[in-house]
Amino acid sequence: MEEHLALTIRLLDYGAVFVFAVSGGVAAARKGFDPVGFLVLSAVAAVGGGSLRDMLLGRTPVFWLTDPFVAGVIAAAAVLMFLLGDRIAARAGALRWADALGLATAAAVGTHVGATAGLPFVSVVALGVMTGSFGGLIRDVLCQETPFIFRGEIYATAAAAGSAVQAGLWATGAPVWLAAPLGAAITFLLRGVAIRRNLALPAYQRREGPPG
């Protein structure tokens, strides 16, 4: 059982790293960056959320410093996108869909880590959302783009819903191999529906005050 648990979380973690690294490559292709730019954007998108998670929990060194396979995954994604980025970046919604998959898988890993650390339910969900969204936030800031999480889109809300279901299942004794993939699937489904239907949270509307 422990082997199945470790394998489930590891696959989700590597999947999140790869997909977010691809999203960084898509963003770099759109900006016309050089190979170093591709590698940097892929790296920050891939490990930004997990690094924040580990630092908040006092887990040092952070996960990617002790797992050389992570660097290989990031480098492979960056090279792949440098070679094929123009074809992928040209597809409508490529960055959003890659980011959505990264959000779902990374949030599931963050939720699991928070749950196993014995955090309260709300903190577990918050950690899942941060793990899923922080890498993409850094990527977008470096590209001088408004991060998805700030655009009013169904983004953090989707991650919170998936994390809440996963944390709830964990609390009731559901196995990790069921709870984590289901949480990731819910996040991805909600985010996917929002992308397809262009759903968003209401944005603040500034009101002009009376002339002074």
Side-chain angles (χ1 to χ4, degrees):
M1 183 62 70
E2 290 295 326
E3 292 181 358
H4 290 163
L5 184 154
L7 179 61
T8 299
I9 297 303
R10 178 153 296 196
L11 288 176
L12 284 171
D13 207 6
Y14 287 149
V17 167
F18 179 76
V19 175
F20 261 136
V22 166
S23 79
V26 172
R30 289 184 171 181
K31 291 293 184 177
F33 287 174
D34 65 11
V36 174
F38 272 75
L39 186 58
V40 169
L41 273 191
S42 293
V44 297
V47 302
S51 297
L52 173 65
R53 172 198 69 212
D54 287 354
M55 287 187 289
L56 288 175
L57 293 176
R59 298 175 59 185
T60 54
V62 294
F63 76 106
W64 55 271
L65 289 177
T66 58
D67 187 350
F69 187 67
V70 172
V73 171
I74 293 172
V79 171
L80 178 66
M81 292 308 299
F82 187 75
L83 296 175
L84 303 176
D86 55 341
R87 302 177 188 177
I88 297 176
R91 296 179 179 273
L95 178 58
R96 283 187 172 186
W97 285 105
D99 185 87
L101 189 54
L103 173 72
T105 49
V109 174
T111 301
H112 171 76
V113 171
T116 55
L119 298 178
F121 179 84
V122 173
S123 299
V124 171
V125 174
L127 196 65
V129 174
M130 286 188 289
T131 304
S133 62
F134 198 74
L137 186 152
I138 299 174
R139 175 202 65 216
D140 293 342
V141 169
L142 290 177
C143 288
Q144 298 183 328
E145 302 283 351
T146 302
F148 287 126
I149 196 171
F150 296 151
R151 298 182 190 177
E153 300 186 21
I154 306 298
Y155 191 83
T157 310
S163 294
V165 170
Q166 180 181 340
L169 288 172
W170 170 270
T172 60
V176 173
W177 60 262
L178 173 63
L182 184 58
I186 290 173
T187 298
F188 183 73
L189 177 63
L190 292 176
R191 178 66 182 136
V193 170
I195 292 172
R196 292 298 297 268
R197 296 183 177 273
N198 198 30
L199 301 177
L201 298 174
Y204 176 75
Q205 300 294 326
R206 296 184 60 185
R207 296 177 177 84
E208 296 293 337

